[in-house]
Amino acid sequence: MTLYDETNINIIKEDLRYLKLLSTKYPTISSASAEIINLQAILNLPKGTEHFISDIHGEYESFTHMLKNASGVIKRKLDDIFGTSLMEKDKASLATLIYYPEEKLEILKEEEQDLEEWYKVTLYRLIQVCKSVSSKYTRSKVRKALPKDFAYIIEELLNEQADRINKQEYYTGIINTIIDIECANSFIIALSKVIQRLVVDRLHIIGDIYDRGPGAEIIMDALMDHHSIDIQWGNHDILWMGAASGSKTCVANVLRICLRYANLATVEDGYGINLLPLASFAMGTYANDPCSGFIPRTLDKKLSDSDMSLFAKMHKAISIIQFKLEGQKILRHPEFKMDYMLLLDKINFEKNTVIVNGKEYKLNDTNFPTIDPKNPFKLTKEEDAIISKITNSFINSEKLQKHIRFMYSKGSLYLVYNSNLLFHGCIPLTEDGSFKALQIEGTSYKGKSLLDIFERYAREAYFYKNDLTIKNYAMDMMWYLWCGPYSPLFGKERITTFERYFIDEKETHKENRNAYYKLRDEEELSNRIFEEFNLDSQTSHIINGHIPVKTKDGESPIKANGKLLVIDGGFCRAYQPETGIAGYTLIYNSYGFLLSSHEPFESTKKAIEEEQDILSSTVILEHVATRQRVEDTDIGKELKTQIKDLEKLLVAYRKGLIDERENV
């Protein structure tokens, strides 16, 4: 069908209203034609590099470094560009400068004997790197990434060509002038940040930004500054989202986890939430209780004995509040089928035992001053006042609300992007491998529809204001997403928090995983999931995190013949003894997939002063013979649609259906 046949003319007449609107942006044949040529050219550019990171858990130093070095992409670029023409120590120094330009310049200014010559050499090297990383983008896209103050100069230098003899002195003059007028530092910083930005086209965070580590709010600030990002919510993220929505149960869980890992910096310093009421209550209520089962896991932190004692008391106090609130929720929602968590009413306060799964166990802690045996799930007046006050602090924390709104605007429960399915946890399955159906408000959901309805509730919990009944139910569903037996984020049959604190027998601590985790090695499961999400099983991948891959035990992150990739390898320090490494990250460029495993990151200080990069091992998962282009991506599909619309506009102009407006 040509642009001018009758069928196409009829289609154009039907679209005339839209085309008239489009003509306000492209008012002439020449402007529409130029845009078609531009879009068609973009389709032939190499596909942009995607960077996948999962389960960060507040480890902001490791994460920030990973963001700056793009999981080794910049180091590989330096190898490609300079090869053996630069010594390894010079490449390491240049890489560190690109990662931390401000900090590294302060050190180098003191160390370099001939600073002017160093500036000259370094500027030329950075321009070479910048040319390489910008070569797969249009000039327009590169221009948008440039800092306003130096945009024109950088653009001139990026478009320098070695064979243009007439302009050689012009370019040399630019470099010399930058140094002469003492702008070299600012220019180096600007170039380094442009390289960092252009080396990755899209960042994917596959869940769990929050909890355990000390700097989730720092990570969120960094993500908000990123030029292109999406987030797939993890179970720990959903807990904070629920807390910010006003769920007291989610707030109690957030505080319990923070106290468990002695991580109050995020809550108090990061988000300005006052925990003094909880501390005062805990010190009074548990004054003579050592709360030994609630001593926090400090990892490499050093706490004084008095702080350790205070944290343990606060930890126990908020845990009891949590168990009461959860009990109320379960009794309110029998459809959740979570009665196994109702344990406060199973305590025999005379025998100091508790019944779990029909079996009686001895309690290792018998001090329950706030529990009324006749009404064990009722908060005391003081407990109710404390959790209400702290919940209001979560709701009114300006910084937290800003971060959570960003989490909603850039996030989702799952994402289909460039033929890959991204989600944090699992697709709930029955033991026979079929999608688990869950009844919610009288309707059955499974597979994709289950994730869709959960996402709807997650958004209603935060944004719905008109009907408290709807909002409260949605907030209860947020808690279910945290620990419910068929939550795609939790991925286990039951949570055993009470048992882990109060019962020594480890048989009660077991949390069996959903069948998804037994079956995800099978290619057939991946193919069924692809079909459920309307994806091509021959070209698609599932990328998720949540359950750390125990590399030290020989477990592979590559499942189902390469169709399913698990990139939680222990970013969080608490998991590293289990995994043996410090995380996996994934790179998807125009040539295929690269999976990197990383050794623990010592510190930003060492990275800058001793030029210690994260030691990484990279495996090429897939390498295509024909390089992928923009036309092969989701953006390419959008551009092709735009081209078709513009072609229709051209026909409308040429057939006189719409008049050109030359003077617009």
Side-chain angles (χ1 to χ4, degrees):
M1 181 169 67
T2 68
L3 282 179
Y4 300 103
D5 68 25
E6 288 304 315
T7 306
N8 211 2
I9 295 295
N10 290 333
I11 293 169
I12 289 163
K13 285 179 178 176
E14 290 173 10
D15 292 342
L16 210 53
R17 189 176 172 188
Y18 165 69
L19 294 175
K20 282 180 179 177
L21 188 62
L22 188 62
S23 72
T24 60
K25 189 173 183 181
Y26 304 101
T28 64
I29 288 174
S30 59
S31 63
S33 300
E35 184 63 6
I36 290 171
I37 294 165
N38 174 48
L39 296 179
Q40 196 66 54
I42 291 171
L43 289 174
N44 293 300
L45 288 171
K47 170 195 170 298
T49 298
E50 298 173 55
H51 190 191
F52 302 79
I53 304 178
S54 176
D55 295 85
I56 304 158
H57 284 300
E59 298 290 350
Y60 69 94
E61 283 202 76
S62 302
F63 170 76
T64 303
H65 188 81
M66 203 75 74
L67 213 55
K68 288 175 180 293
N69 82 349
S71 290
V73 172
I74 288 177
K75 203 72 177 288
R76 285 193 290 275
K77 280 285 180 189
L78 298 184
D79 287 334
D80 292 342
I81 295 164
F82 299 109
T84 55
S85 66
L86 273 187
M87 294 173 64
E88 287 302 316
K89 68 180 183 67
D90 292 328
K91 283 189 276 191
S93 183
L94 185 59
T96 307
L97 179 67
I98 293 168
Y99 307 156
Y100 304 99
E102 294 98 333
E103 298 88 341
K104 195 63 181 172
L105 278 167
E106 289 301 313
I107 295 170
L108 289 167
K109 279 194 296 184
E110 301 298 322
E111 292 179 349
E112 291 297 329
Q113 295 179 347
D114 188 344
L115 195 59
E116 186 174 323
E117 184 61 25
W118 181 85
Y119 277 140
K120 200 173 290 185
V121 170
T122 301
L123 283 167
Y124 275 115
R125 286 174 180 171
L126 287 174
I127 289 162
Q128 276 184 273
V129 178
C130 205
K131 278 183 180 180
S132 175
V133 299
S134 65
S135 61
K136 63 163 67 173
Y137 304 115
T138 63
R139 284 195 186 186
S140 172
K141 185 164 183 173
V142 173
R143 194 177 297 124
K144 288 171 186 172
L146 301 179
K148 199 174 288 184
D149 292 343
F150 294 116
Y152 173 75
I153 303 295
I154 294 175
E155 195 171 3
E156 283 288 290
L157 292 170
L158 290 182
N159 294 305
E160 173 198 1
Q161 294 177 18
D163 58 350
R164 292 171 70 175
I165 299 169
N166 294 338
K167 275 199 167 183
Q168 195 59 53
E169 289 185 13
Y170 169 70
Y171 294 120
T172 304
I174 291 174
I175 298 293
N176 289 337
T177 305
I178 288 168
I179 297 167
D180 290 343
I181 63 173
E182 298 184 352
C183 274
N185 279 7
S186 300
F187 204 76
I188 286 168
I189 292 166
L191 279 172
S192 298
K193 291 188 175 177
V194 170
I195 292 165
Q196 283 185 37
R197 174 164 178 174
L198 293 178
V199 79
V200 167
D201 194 45
R202 182 79 168 190
L203 175 65
H204 306 285
I205 303 295
I206 320 289
D208 278 358
I209 295 164
Y210 282 90
D211 286 337
R212 296 196 172 93
E217 79 283 5
I218 300 170
I219 293 166
M220 287 301 297
D221 281 338
L223 295 180
M224 288 183 75
D225 285 339
H226 201 277
H227 61 281
S228 180
I229 180 174
D230 53 71
I231 301 167
Q232 290 70 62
W233 305 322
N235 54 319
H236 288 270
D237 303 323
I238 215 78
L239 199 56
W240 279 80
M241 291 159 69
S245 301
S247 166
K248 292 177 182 178
T249 318
C250 290
V251 168
N253 271 280
V254 162
L255 295 179
R256 179 185 61 78
I257 294 167
C258 288
L259 285 158
R260 183 175 178 80
Y261 291 92
N263 173 29
L264 295 184
T266 297
V267 175
E268 292 185 310
D269 302 332
Y271 292 130
I273 292 165
N274 182 12
L275 297 183
L276 186 58
L278 177 63
S280 300
F281 169 75
M283 287 296 287
T285 306
Y286 299 99
N288 300 315
D289 186 342
C291 301
S292 53
F294 294 86
I295 300 294
R297 298 179 182 181
T298 56
L299 299 176
D300 52 358
K301 296 176 190 169
K302 291 181 180 178
L303 291 179
S304 66
D305 290 345
S306 59
D307 281 346
M308 192 74 84
S309 174
L310 173 60
F311 281 18
K313 289 173 173 31
M314 292 171 70
H315 187 183
K316 182 173 182 179
I318 199 64
S319 297
I320 298 300
I321 290 172
Q322 174 191 313
F323 299 140
K324 289 182 177 184
L325 290 169
E326 288 177 334
Q328 293 173 21
K329 202 176 294 292
I330 293 162
L331 291 169
R332 194 162 63 243
H333 295 291
E335 73 275 15
F336 286 179
K337 297 180 180 177
M338 296 174 71
D339 287 2
Y340 51 82
M341 289 180 67
L342 297 175
L343 295 175
L344 298 187
D345 60 345
K346 309 293 190 303
I347 295 174
N348 186 319
F349 291 92
E350 293 177 359
K351 294 171 64 179
N352 294 323
T353 60
V354 63
I355 303 292
V356 178
N357 294 331
K359 186 175 176 182
E360 190 172 42
Y361 293 93
K362 198 80 177 169
L363 291 165
N364 58 29
D365 184 334
T366 59
N367 184 33
F368 300 108
T370 69
I371 297 178
D372 177 0
K374 295 177 182 177
N375 196 355
F377 299 110
K378 184 180 179 181
L379 296 173
T380 66
K381 285 184 179 179
E382 202 171 355
E383 286 174 326
D384 188 45
I386 287 164
I387 195 64
S388 296
K389 192 169 185 178
I390 295 174
T391 300
N392 282 332
S393 295
F394 272 77
I395 293 169
N396 293 309
S397 168
E398 188 178 340
K399 189 168 186 177
L400 175 62
Q401 292 299 325
K402 182 177 74 170
H403 285 169
I404 296 302
R405 281 194 298 273
F406 179 78
M407 186 83 80
Y408 274 104
S409 69
K410 297 294 182 181
S412 54
L413 216 53
Y414 69 91
L415 179 69
V416 174
Y417 194 90
N418 289 342
S419 293
N420 296 312
L421 176 60
L422 286 52
F423 56 84
H424 177 70
C426 70
I427 308 295
L429 304 176
T430 59
E431 287 300 315
D432 66 4
S434 58
F435 296 124
K436 170 65 183 176
L438 189 63
Q439 289 283 329
I440 302 175
E441 294 190 287
T443 304
S444 179
Y445 300 94
K446 62 181 180 179
K448 181 178 179 296
S449 70
L450 182 62
L451 271 63
D452 288 335
I453 190 64
F454 275 135
E455 178 161 339
R456 195 194 89 187
Y457 284 122
R459 294 188 184 280
E460 284 181 352
Y462 189 77
F463 292 105
Y464 209 87
K465 309 293 183 188
N466 298 333
D467 188 328
L468 275 180
T469 303
I470 292 173
K471 182 178 176 67
N472 287 336
Y473 186 80
M475 286 196 296
D476 289 350
M477 291 303 287
M478 292 287 271
W479 173 78
Y480 185 93
L481 277 167
W482 158 246
C483 63
Y486 293 106
S487 162
L489 299 182
F490 179 53
K492 296 177 183 176
E493 291 178 2
R494 63 192 294 162
I495 195 166
T496 58
T497 310
F498 178 93
E499 295 91 324
R500 288 167 185 266
Y501 282 119
F502 291 104
I503 303 172
D504 290 332
E505 285 82 355
K506 293 197 182 297
E507 65 191 62
T508 64
H509 302 179
K510 195 169 183 182
E511 297 177 346
N512 292 323
R513 296 177 187 173
N514 184 266
Y516 171 87
Y517 294 100
K518 299 176 193 170
L519 301 171
R520 66 181 178 177
D521 278 321
E522 298 177 11
E523 190 174 348
E524 189 270 335
L525 172 61
S526 291
N527 290 339
R528 281 195 292 113
I529 293 173
F530 292 141
E531 184 180 355
E532 176 73 4
F533 286 84
N534 299 312
L535 287 166
D536 182 353
S537 62
Q538 298 304 308
T539 58
S540 300
H541 301 81
I542 295 167
I543 302 166
N544 64 216
H546 186 49
I547 301 291
V549 176
K550 295 185 178 179
T551 306
K552 71 179 182 65
D553 296 338
E555 185 184 357
S556 171
I558 305 164
K559 315 284 185 184
N561 291 328
K563 290 189 175 182
L564 193 153
L565 307 170
V566 183
I567 59 169
D568 180 6
F571 225 114
C572 175
R573 290 176 188 269
Y575 288 145
Q576 288 170 13
E578 290 181 46
T579 61
I581 60 168
Y584 289 105
T585 55
L586 187 67
I587 293 293
Y588 180 28
N589 60 27
S590 57
Y591 292 106
F593 283 93
L594 302 171
L595 181 71
S596 295
S597 61
H598 307 284
E599 296 300 313
F601 179 66
E602 286 200 47
S603 70
T604 303
K605 189 173 185 291
K606 282 202 169 186
I608 296 165
E609 293 178 357
E610 300 176 24
E611 298 176 348
Q612 284 190 6
D613 209 340
I614 292 180
L615 291 173
S616 306
S617 301
T618 301
V619 176
I620 299 174
L621 295 180
E622 292 181 9
H623 191 277
V624 293
T626 305
R627 198 175 188 186
Q628 283 190 297
R629 304 287 168 181
V630 171
E631 66 177 344
D632 304 314
T633 68
D634 291 348
I635 291 172
K637 291 174 187 174
E638 292 175 19
L639 295 182
K640 286 174 186 176
T641 301
Q642 291 176 33
I643 289 169
K644 285 181 181 177
D645 290 340
L646 287 163
E647 286 175 344
K648 289 180 184 180
L649 180 60
L650 279 183
V651 175
Y653 280 141
R654 288 168 178 163
K655 288 293 183 181
L657 300 173
I658 298 175
D659 294 331
E660 290 185 87
R661 289 172 291 166
E662 294 288 354
N663 296 323
V664 172

